[in-house]
Amino acid sequence: MPNENLLLWKTVDLPHNQISFIVEGVGFFDGAPGPSMRLFSDAESVQSICSSGDSEFLAVTKIYLISPPWMNRQHERLMEPLSEIRLQSSDKEPPIYEFVTAGGQTYTSVREHSTT
């Protein structure tokens, strides 16, 4: 991979408490098909790309969940391959999702509040 591509990723700034997704697949770059990678901040967009694609993203090969500390109960973000996104409730705003990782861990999009 050329160095300029590596340097590009050093400029990504993610909000500390936000759920993010990296979607890998095949897309068009300068009119030619090739590897593609995009960053998303909502599950609805990820599901849309997976189900119907878009003009610049033809096929999805892998999705990674970047979970914030409140979600994964660690002191840092974790990036894990996803195996499934489940819509648990669409009657709330924002909708409630569950994210199942390839390792079997399940996370929810709802922040749990402690009652102490």
Side-chain angles (χ1 to χ4, degrees), residues 3-78:
N3 284 341
E4 62 268 11
N5 291 337
L6 293 174
L7 294 176
L8 174 66
W9 282 103
K10 289 182 180 180
T11 65
V12 174
D13 184 24
L14 300 174
H16 187 67
N17 290 317
Q18 178 179 310
I19 301 167
S20 299
F21 305 89
I22 292 178
V23 178
E24 290 182 348
V26 177
F28 280 104
F29 183 74
D30 290 336
S36 185
M37 184 179 284
R38 289 174 64 183
L39 179 68
F40 292 91
S41 60
D42 65 289
E44 186 176 14
S45 294
V46 173
Q47 286 187 310
S48 176
I49 290 288
C50 290
S51 64
S52 59
D54 71 14
S55 62
E56 296 178 14
F57 211 92
L58 304 174
V60 173
T61 56
K62 192 169 268 192
I63 302 170
Y64 296 92
L65 170 68
I66 303 173
S67 59
W70 64 263
M71 178 184 275
N72 62 42
R73 300 183 195 276
Q74 304 291 319
H75 296 293
E76 61 190 4
R77 290 185 194 103
L78 295 179

